[in-house]
Amino acid sequence: MKVGVVTFPGSLDDVDAQRAVRLAGAEPVALWHGDHDLKAVDAVVLPGGFSYGDYLRAGAIARFAPVMSEVIDAANGGMPVLGICNGFQILCESHLLPGALIRNDHRKFVCRDQRLRIDNAATAWTSAYEAGDEIVIPLKNGEGGFVADELTLDVLEGEGRVVARYLEDNPNGSLRDIAGISNERGNVVGLMPHPEHAVEDLCGPGTDGLGFFTSVLTALVK
């Protein structure tokens, strides 16, 4: 199976995401922001970083990259898509996910190992976990506060589309401690922390993040 990882100008974690895909057992395929070509991949990862320098608003310019027209169509057709950090911001800007990510409430960049609870283990990217599992993966963001109107938040809660929540301290002011959400179908997931940095015991806090990448392989063979 092939999992595409998009590189935008300013992407920082594309190679890390490719390595996570490889460790999970799939073939990583590099995708370029300026191409209208997904190279026949089975799933797509939008990695972390500062796409186009985040000069306008995080993810706002990347949303109009040529490759995103292909990603949007594929996601609407059911292809699994994972947006990590800046990728989460791009998914919201693309309206594949509701809400928005804004400046951290303390106005400082945060970088730390973050404890999360998996609330929805039924998505294409979380089936390797059990609902209620607590994991630790790195977090690094300056605009990671998830916000939405109360109705949208209630819908996300009511439909079980909150994928993960922050435990202990909320690092960025995200409403209802939300760290990640999915679309209605469960094929599109946005996550602010970085599972690709927790896939090997040698580096990072452990291997708690690998499940996001093995999950999608299970989803693709169903």
Side-chain angles (χ1 to χ4, degrees), residues 23-71:
L23 289 171
E27 177 185 347
V29 177
L31 302 177
W32 185 242
H33 71 107
D35 293 340
H36 282 283
D37 184 5
L38 295 185
K39 299 183 180 179
V41 298
D42 302 295
V44 171
V45 175
L46 304 180
F50 301 90
S51 56
Y52 298 92
D54 285 343
Y55 286 122
L56 177 60
R57 184 176 63 248
I61 299 175
R63 177 261 178 272
F64 294 102
V67 75
M68 284 307 300
S69 62
E70 310 304 323
V71 171

Side-chain angles (χ1 to χ4, degrees), residues 30-172:
L31 302 177
W32 185 242
H33 71 107
D35 293 340
H36 282 283
D37 184 5
L38 295 185
K39 299 183 180 179
V41 298
D42 302 295
V44 171
V45 175
L46 304 180
F50 301 90
S51 56
Y52 298 92
D54 285 343
Y55 286 122
L56 177 60
R57 184 176 63 248
I61 299 175
R63 177 261 178 272
F64 294 102
V67 75
M68 284 307 300
S69 62
E70 310 304 323
V71 171
I72 291 168
D73 287 346
N76 287 331
M79 178 182 285
V81 177
L82 174 66
I84 303 169
C85 197
N86 190 234
F88 187 4
Q89 296 161 342
I90 295 169
L91 290 176
C92 290
E93 291 287 341
S94 301
H95 304 296
L96 287 172
L97 293 176
L101 285 306
I102 65 171
R103 185 71 60 86
N104 296 347
D105 58 351
H106 46 72
R107 300 297 188 268
K108 296 179 181 178
F109 190 91
V110 60
C111 182
R112 71 189 196 194
D113 293 338
Q114 177 66 49
R115 184 170 294 280
L116 305 175
R117 184 180 69 238
I118 301 296
D119 279 3
N120 183 348
T123 77
W125 297 92
T126 55
S127 63
Y129 303 98
E130 297 289 339
D133 279 355
E134 296 184 10
I135 64 174
V136 176
I137 61 177
L139 172 79
K140 49 177 186 174
N141 64 72
E143 296 183 40
F146 179 76
V147 295
D149 60 81
E150 287 297 314
L151 177 59
T152 298
L153 292 170
D154 288 342
V155 168
L156 290 172
E157 299 270 15
E159 295 181 352
R161 290 164 54 192
V162 176
V163 171
R165 293 182 204 269
Y166 298 115
L167 295 179
E168 300 169 356
D169 295 330
N170 184 321
N172 46 36

Side-chain angles (χ1 to χ4, degrees), residues 149-212:
D149 60 81
E150 287 297 314
L151 177 59
T152 298
L153 292 170
D154 288 342
V155 168
L156 290 172
E157 299 270 15
E159 295 181 352
R161 290 164 54 192
V162 176
V163 171
R165 293 182 204 269
Y166 298 115
L167 295 179
E168 300 169 356
D169 295 330
N170 184 321
N172 46 36
S174 287
L175 299 180
R176 305 192 188 182
D177 298 326
I178 290 174
I181 61 173
S182 76
N183 65 347
E184 293 180 24
R185 195 169 179 173
N187 62 301
V188 178
V189 167
L191 185 72
M192 187 48 56
H194 288 260
E196 78 280 14
H197 295 328
V199 294
E200 296 180 284
D201 285 320
L202 179 64
C203 303
T207 61
D208 284 354
L210 189 59
F212 283 89

